[in-house]
Amino acid sequence: MKARLAHRLRAAGRWARSIPVTWVIVGLVIAATIVRLSLHAGRMSAQLDTLVSTGFDAVFLRHDWFSVLSSVFFVRSAGLLVVVAIVAVLCLGWSERRMGHWRTAVAFLVVTVLGIVLGLLLDSLGVAVHLYPAEQSRGTRTLDPIIAVVGVLMTATAFTGPVLRRRIRVLGFVTLVTFVLYSGQQSDIFRLLAAVVGLLLGMLLADRRVTLRIPRSTHREARTILAAVVAITGLGPLITLVAPDSTSLLNPLGQLFRDPLRDYQRIAEHCATGDFSRKCVDALALSRLDGPGAVALSFLPLVALLLAAWGIRHGRRMALWLAVGINVMLTLLAAVYYGFFPLVAPTETTVFQTSAVEHYGVFVVVSVLFPLAVAVALVSSIRLFPREAGVRTALRFFAVAVGLFVVVATAYVSLSLLVRHQFSPTASLTALLLDLPERFIPASFLSFEPVDVFPTGPVAIAMYQWVGTVYWVAVMVLAIVGMRRVRLVRQSSGPARIRELVKAGAGGDLAWMATWSGNEYWFASDGSAVAYRVEGNVAITTAEPLAPADRQHAVALEFERFCIEHGWTCAFYSVSDDLRAELAADGWQSMRVAEETVVRPGDFTLEGKRMQDIRSSINRAAREGVHDVWTTYPSLTPDLAAQVREISELWVAEKGLPEMGFTLGGVDELADPEVALMLAIDDDGRVQGVTSWLPTFRDGRRVGLTLDFMRRHPDSINGVMEFLIAETILRAAQEGIEFVSLSAAPLAVASAPDDGDQAAEAPSSATTAFLGFIARALEPVYGFSSLLRFKLKFRPELRELSLCYRDPIELPAIGAAIARAYLPTLSTRHALRMLSQMQRSAPMQR
C-alpha cells in the first residue's frame, strides 16, 4: 500500500514538474484575484475592476486595450477562484504536456487576444444594427480566465490522436454553443470565439492541413457522442439558473430561483397593456411559474431528453425517436409562440408581443433552428442504431402518448368547466380550449403570450398547475417501459431461440453471427431458423440456415417461399460448398465470395521455414515484455476495457469509410460473455492488440473458435497479430478444441475455381465483374485481399463460401444490398470516395 502511494506521489511530482507554464499562469490568476478581493468592495476595488475588465465600451470608447489581456487573470469571487484554479491546472496542464511549453504560452496569448477582440467586433456589429442583446451588453465588463483556458485546450487537440481530438472538439463546441444560446453573456461569446481561434491555431502549430472532415468512429462511439450532444442541449435551460446577466429567452426561469419575492403577476398585468420592457418579458413568464407544478413542467421535457440520451447511448431507436419528437415539438412551439401568434392574432392583444418580437427577433430564429438542427442530426444518424425486433413497441408508445394527451386534456377541460367560477375571469369552453396547449408547455415559450385565465380556487389551481406535469411524467414512464420492452423482445423472441439452436450445433462455423443485433429471424415449423437482413427488396441470410445438416436444404427452400410471399429476392450469403451443391441441383446459381481459413490445433506446428514469421513474432513479444491474456470482455477491468475501445476507435478513425457490419463484428459484439478475447498486454499494462473469438458448439460443448474482431494499437510491436493468433491456436490445442477458423475475408478469394466446377462458373463475366467492382472499391481502405494473404501464413485449410441466388438478373440488386449490409452508414460522399479510390487502384491491378 505504501509502495503504491509512493509511486503515485512520484508520478504526480513528475507531472507537476512538466507543466511550468501552467503553474505560472495559475499563480498569476490566484495572486491577481487575491489582491482584488483584498480591496473588498470599496472605491479601489471598483477602480481596479474598471482598469482590468474588458467590454465593448471599455475598449472602443475608453480605449482600454490592455484589458483584453488583463481580464483573463482575475476572478470575481473566492469560491469561483477555487473552481477556476482547478479547471485551469487540469486543462492547461494537459495541454502543455501535449504542446510543449512555448506553444502553450503562445496559445494562451493568441487565443485570449483574438478571441476577445473578435467578440468585441461582433458586439459592435450588433450595436450597429441595433440588436437588443448587443445594446444591453455593451456596458458589461468581463473578468473570466476560462476564456483563455478553453482556447488553449482547443489548440492542444491538434496534438492528440483522432479519437480524443474528436471527443473534445465535438462535446466542447456543443457545450460552448449551448452556453451562448441559453446564457448569452458576453463571456460566453468570448469563450466560443477563443475556441475557434484555438482550433485554427492548433492546426497551424501542429502543421496540420486545415480540413473539415470529422474522423470516422465506430457506431458505439458515434452513439455515445450523439447521446452527449442530446444531454448537453437538454441541460441548456438550467444554465439560466446561474447566469445573472443573461439576455436569453429562458432567463426568467433562472430569475424565479434568484428573486422569488416580487409580485410578478401584478407586473405582468401592467405589461399586458402594452408597456413593453425587459422586465415585462421576465414577469410574464414568471407569473406562470407560481407553484411547484408549473416549475416542474419547465424541467420535465428536459428530463425526458436526458432519458432519451440514455437510450441513445444504449442503441435504442425508440429513444432516438423520442429525442426527435421532443426537439420537433420545441421547434414548433418556438415558431408558433414567438413568430406565428404575434403576426396573426388580433391587434389589441399583440401590442406587447409585436414589440417583444422586434427586439428579440434573433432569439426567435435561434429558438426555431437550434432544436430543429438537433432533430435533423438525430434522424440522419438512424443507421447507427441496430434494427429493433420491438419496432411496434415504439409505434405503440407514440400512439399511447397521443391518446393519453387526448384523455388528460379532455379530463382537464371537463373538470375546469365544473369549477369554472374558480377562474378569473370565469372560464368558458372557448377560453379553456385556447389556454389548453399552454398547460403542457414550458413557461419559457409563453414569455410573449397574454394570459387567458388565472385560477383562483383550490381545485382550479391544482389542475392548472399539475395537469401538464402529470402528463409528462406519464410519458416518461411509458418511454422507460417501452425501451425496457424492446430490450426484452431482443432477448426473448429471437436471439434466445437462436442461441439454443447454435449451442445445439446448428449452422456452420459462422453460426454465432446469427445472434448479433440487426438480424431478423424466420423459424421453420420444426424450429429450424434463418437469420437474415432485408436491404431494399433483398433478403440476405447471415450464413447458412440454422438446422441439422440433412435439413438445411429443405429449410432453405421454405425460407425462399417465405421471401416470395413478402416480395423479396432471396440470397444465401456465405454458405458452405455442401449446401451450394444441393441448391445448384434445384437450379440455383452461385458464385464464390470468400474463402474460410481453418486451422486444426492438433496438427498445428511452429516448425518449418514457412512458420519463421510466426516464430519471430512470438520471440519478439517475449523480448518486449508482451504477454497474452485469455479472457472475456465482461471480465475486463475498466482500464483494459477502455483501452480496447480506444484501439477500435483509432482503427476506424484511420479509415476513409465507416465501420463495417453484417458479418464483421465490432465492440458491441465483444460484450457477449460467450465470446472469448485474446489480448496482448505489455509490462506497463498497455493493450498492444486484441482479437475476439466466436464459439462453435456441438451438443452444448464448444468445439471451435472463429476469429472476428482483430485490432492493433498504432504503436504496438510488429507481429502482434501473428503472436495473438498463434497463442490462441496453441491454447485451443491444450483445451481440445477441434478447429480454429480464421474466418473469411469478405469478397476475397485465394485462387480461381477448378475448371470442372461448373456451378461456381455459372455467373456471367459481367456478374463476376460486379462483385469484383465492390471488392476492388473496398480493398484500398479495408484490405480484404491483404487480410486473406495474412491468414495464409498459418497454413490453413481453405473452404469456399458462396453466394447462392435464383436469377442472375437480380445480381445488381443483390450486390448493392450486400454493400449496404456491410456499410449501413455509407453516405453518397463516401460512396463517391470509394469509387475514386477504385479508379486510382485500377491501373495498378491491370
Side-chain angles (χ1 to χ4, degrees):
M1 185 67 180
K2 292 182 178 180
R4 182 181 300 178
L5 178 61
H7 175 74
R8 291 180 177 177
L9 289 175
R10 287 194 297 271
R14 290 193 299 269
W15 182 84
R17 290 191 297 272
S18 67
I19 53 171
V21 175
T22 297
W23 293 120
V24 170
I25 293 172
V26 174
L28 289 174
V29 171
I30 293 174
T33 302
I34 290 175
V35 170
R36 176 182 175 275
L37 295 177
S38 66
L39 299 177
H40 303 293
R43 183 176 179 181
M44 293 184 63
S45 177
Q47 291 176 343
L48 180 62
D49 283 356
T50 302
L51 179 65
V52 300
S53 60
T54 192
F56 178 86
D57 288 348
V59 173
F60 292 122
L61 296 185
R62 299 182 182 86
H63 305 292
D64 295 334
W65 289 97
F66 177 73
S67 67
V68 170
L69 182 59
S70 63
S71 60
V72 298
F73 288 98
F74 292 84
V75 181
R76 293 192 179 277
S77 65
L80 190 58
L81 174 61
V82 175
V83 176
V84 168
I86 294 174
V87 172
V89 169
L90 294 178
C91 295
L92 293 179
W94 180 88
S95 302
E96 185 174 357
R97 286 174 62 85
R98 279 150 183 80
M99 291 193 297
H101 309 316
W102 73 267
R103 288 192 183 95
T104 302
V106 169
F108 184 88
L109 295 174
V110 172
V111 300
T112 298
V113 174
L114 290 184
I116 292 178
V117 169
L118 289 175
L120 295 175
L121 292 176
L122 191 62
D123 270 353
S124 66
L125 179 62
V127 170
V129 298
H130 304 291
L131 188 64
Y132 180 73
E135 292 177 347
Q136 287 289 98
S137 64
R138 61 176 296 172
T140 303
R141 304 186 73 97
T142 297
L143 295 173
D144 186 10
I146 300 299
I147 296 170
V149 171
V150 167
V152 173
L153 181 65
M154 286 299 170
T155 305
T157 59
F159 296 84
T160 64
V163 176
L164 191 58
R165 181 164 63 241
R166 177 183 59 241
R167 291 174 181 173
I168 295 176
R169 289 178 178 178
V170 172
L171 299 183
F173 275 106
V174 169
T175 302
L176 293 171
V177 170
T178 302
F179 266 89
V180 169
L181 296 178
Y182 286 98
S183 174
Q185 298 183 66
Q186 194 175 63
S187 58
D188 299 317
I189 304 290
F190 293 162
R191 291 174 197 153
L192 178 60
L193 293 174
V196 174
V197 172
L199 188 69
L200 299 176
L201 178 63
M203 295 178 183
L204 179 64
L205 293 177
D207 196 22
R208 290 182 180 274
R209 185 181 62 178
V210 177
T211 176
L212 298 178
R213 185 178 73 85
I214 299 177
R216 304 303 307 180
S217 62
T218 64
H219 298 168
R220 183 189 184 98
E221 173 75 3
R223 291 197 302 265
T224 300
I225 293 177
L226 194 64
V229 170
V230 172
I232 291 171
T233 55
L235 290 172
L238 300 185
I239 295 172
T240 61
L241 300 182
V242 293
D245 301 321
S246 170
T247 56
S248 70
L249 284 173
L250 296 179
N251 186 50
L253 182 60
Q255 287 190 355
L256 176 72
F257 293 89
R258 290 193 298 270
D259 188 10
L261 302 178
R262 294 161 57 186
D263 188 355
Y264 297 115
Q265 184 169 333
R266 183 182 62 81
I267 300 175
E269 291 173 352
H270 176 69
C271 293
T273 62
D275 183 14
F276 170 73
S277 68
R278 170 69 199 188
K279 291 184 178 180
C280 294
V281 177
D282 299 347
L284 273 176
L286 291 168
S287 67
R288 302 171 186 274
L289 292 171
D290 187 19
V295 174
L297 180 59
S298 293
F299 285 99
L300 286 177
L302 312 180
V303 176
L305 276 177
L306 293 180
L307 175 64
W310 177 88
I312 289 171
R313 169 66 179 80
H314 290 83
R316 304 287 194 267
R317 282 197 178 191
M318 179 177 166
L320 177 78
W321 290 117
L322 176 61
V324 169
I326 294 175
N327 278 284
V328 169
M329 181 198 73
L330 297 178
T331 298
L332 294 176
L333 290 177
V336 169
Y337 281 95
Y338 298 155
F340 181 72
F341 278 1
L343 295 178
V344 303
T347 305
E348 59 269 17
T349 64
T350 57
V351 175
F352 172 79
Q353 291 169 288
T354 303
S355 179
V357 172
E358 289 177 357
H359 285 78
Y360 287 85
V362 64
F363 283 128
V364 175
V365 175
V366 170
S367 297
V368 172
L369 295 183
F370 185 59
L372 181 61
V374 174
V376 170
L378 289 169
V379 173
S380 64
S381 304
I382 187 66
R383 286 185 174 271
L384 296 174
F385 295 76
R387 289 192 180 97
E388 294 171 343
V391 65
R392 294 180 182 177
T393 303
L395 297 176
R396 188 184 302 115
F397 162 76
F398 287 108
V400 172
V402 172
L404 181 63
F405 174 81
V406 173
V407 171
V408 173
T410 301
Y412 168 75
V413 173
S414 301
L415 293 175
S416 297
L417 286 175
L418 293 177
V419 292
R420 66 174 65 90
H421 298 293
Q422 293 189 19
F423 289 89
S424 177
T426 300
S428 64
L429 177 61
T430 301
L432 289 172
L433 290 177
L434 290 175
D435 182 71
L436 180 63
E438 300 174 13
R439 303 282 58 78
F440 301 86
I441 297 171
S444 58
F445 290 98
L446 308 176
S447 297
F448 305 149
E449 184 68 11
V451 179
D452 298 301
V453 290
F454 272 111
T456 56
V459 178
I461 290 174
M463 292 190 302
Y464 192 88
Q465 290 186 1
W466 290 100
V467 60
T469 301
V470 169
Y471 173 74
W472 276 100
V473 169
V475 167
M476 285 188 286
V477 171
L478 287 173
I480 293 172
V481 172
M483 282 188 278
R484 177 175 174 79
R485 182 174 297 171
V486 167
R487 180 176 63 85
L488 293 176
V489 166
R490 284 183 181 178
Q491 293 176 348
S492 61
S493 66
R497 296 173 62 183
I498 294 298
R499 281 174 179 265
E500 293 177 2
L501 290 171
V502 173
K503 286 193 172 184
D509 301 348
L510 308 180
W512 193 261
M513 296 176 182
T515 66
W516 289 353
S517 178
N519 289 317
E520 299 179 51
Y521 303 108
W522 170 85
F523 291 92
S525 57
D526 65 348
S528 301
V530 174
Y532 67 98
R533 303 180 184 217
V534 178
E535 298 290 346
N537 287 321
V538 179
I540 313 165
T541 69
T542 304
E544 301 173 338
L546 300 176
D550 58 353
R551 279 279 297 156
Q552 282 191 336
H553 178 223
V555 171
L557 296 181
E558 290 182 40
F559 177 71
E560 181 193 18
R561 288 192 290 270
F562 167 77
C563 293
I564 292 173
E565 292 174 358
H566 286 76
W568 300 332
T569 298
C570 181
F572 287 96
Y573 184 72
S574 293
V575 300
S576 66
D577 194 59
D578 291 339
L579 180 58
R580 179 198 63 77
E582 291 180 323
L583 290 175
D586 288 327
W588 286 68
Q589 306 294 311
S590 66
M591 63 186 306
R592 185 171 45 168
V593 292
E595 283 186 298
E596 183 183 10
T597 50
V598 179
V599 176
R600 300 291 176 180
D603 301 330
F604 182 73
T605 177
L606 293 174
E607 299 178 357
K609 184 176 181 181
R610 293 179 58 183
M611 303 301 289
Q612 177 62 42
D613 287 346
I614 311 300
R615 291 196 302 272
S616 298
S617 299
I618 295 175
N619 294 333
R620 185 181 299 111
R623 290 195 303 270
E624 299 290 339
V626 176
H627 59 279
D628 62 293
V629 175
W630 183 252
T631 183
T632 61
Y633 190 83
S635 301
L636 294 178
T637 64
D639 176 59
L640 291 179
Q643 290 189 62
V644 170
R645 292 194 298 270
E646 182 183 12
I647 288 173
S648 179
E649 292 297 329
L650 289 170
W651 184 87
V652 174
E654 293 174 353
K655 304 298 179 182
L657 292 176
E659 181 184 26
M660 299 189 76
F662 192 24
T663 63
L664 299 174
V667 175
D668 289 340
E669 286 70 33
L670 299 185
D672 194 318
E674 297 285 359
V675 175
L677 297 186
M678 179 65 87
L679 306 180
I681 303 179
D682 61 22
D683 291 337
D684 294 326
R686 293 176 298 183
V687 178
Q688 300 263 326
V690 55
T691 56
S692 73
W693 299 88
L694 309 179
T696 298
F697 292 92
R698 184 187 306 125
D699 298 326
R701 185 176 66 89
R702 187 171 64 176
V703 296
L705 297 170
T706 299
L707 177 63
D708 177 38
F709 188 90
M710 186 167 60
R711 303 281 192 272
R712 63 185 295 272
H713 195 281
D715 299 328
S716 64
I717 63 172
N718 291 332
V720 68
M721 285 295 111
E722 289 90 337
F723 164 72
L724 286 173
I725 293 174
E727 291 295 339
T728 301
I729 297 173
L730 294 174
R731 178 177 290 272
Q734 296 173 0
E735 296 183 1
I737 300 295
E738 296 180 9
F739 71 89
V740 172
S741 171
L742 304 186
S743 194
L747 306 176
V749 294
S751 60
D754 295 336
D755 294 339
D757 192 349
Q758 297 301 321
E761 292 292 335
S764 64
S765 58
T767 297
T768 305
F770 181 78
L771 283 183
F773 166 84
I774 297 175
R776 292 194 304 274
L778 297 176
E779 178 63 26
V781 180
Y782 295 104
F784 294 137
S785 297
S786 301
L787 179 60
L788 179 58
R789 289 193 296 270
F790 165 79
K791 293 176 179 179
L792 292 177
K793 290 182 179 181
F794 296 88
R795 304 170 65 181
E797 303 173 11
L798 297 181
R799 296 179 181 176
E800 294 183 5
L801 298 178
S802 302
L803 167 68
C804 297
Y805 52 93
R806 276 284 191 186
D807 191 347
I809 295 177
E810 300 290 346
L811 265 174
I814 294 173
I818 292 173
R820 284 196 299 270
Y822 275 115
L823 292 168
T825 60
L826 185 69
S827 65
T828 303
R829 176 170 59 89
H830 293 120
L832 292 175
R833 181 184 302 168
M834 180 178 71
L835 294 177
S836 65
Q837 288 173 331
M838 189 208 70
Q839 290 173 350
R840 288 196 299 269
S841 65
M844 293 183 291
Q845 293 169 351
R846 287 195 295 267

